[in-house]
């Protein structure tokens, strides 16, 4: 993961407010990365934070994840259509607040 990676950069812009958990983001064909939302703000990191087990795992194509990170209703649409697979503690989803440039 590099700062120049568009997907992780979009995730960093979308995940700002903490949500009390760690997410694992798995983009098809790419190395997974993590959103550490245990603090007041979130951090996008390349490895699972020490002592933390991801509460949720998101699996999707990179373009689907990019649209989700851009905002709007993309998260709901991707999940309901089956393009986004979510496993783990679904109560975490209720605490997520994604920032949107839209």
């Amino acid at each position: 993961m590099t700062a120049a990676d568009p997907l992780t950069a979009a995730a960093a812009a979308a995940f700002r407010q903490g949500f009390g958990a760690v997410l694992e983001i798995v983009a098809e064909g790419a190395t997974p990365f993590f959103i550490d939302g245990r603090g007041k703000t979130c951090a996008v990191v390349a490895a699972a934070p020490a002592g933390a087990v991801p509460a949720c795992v998101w699996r999707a194509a990179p373009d689907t994840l990019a649209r989700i990170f851009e905002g709007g209703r993309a998260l709901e649409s991707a999940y309901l259509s089956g393009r986004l697979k979510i496993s783990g503690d679904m109560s975490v989803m209720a605490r997520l607040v994604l920032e949107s440039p839209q």
Side-chain angles (χ1 to χ4, degrees), residues 5 18 20 23 32-33 52 55-56 58 64 83-84 89 91 93 95-97 100:
D5 176 14
L23 294 180
F33 61 94
C56 276
W58 289 12
T64 297
R83 293 185 321 249
L84 171 66
D89 183 355
S91 71
M93 299 302 296
R95 298 190 304 262
L96 288 178
V97 176
S100 174

Side-chain angles (χ1 to χ4, degrees), residues 10-11 14 63-72 74 98-102:
D63 61 326
T64 297
L65 290 168
R67 281 194 298 273
I68 290 168
F69 299 154
E70 289 170 2
L98 297 179
E99 302 290 325
S100 174
Q102 295 181 3

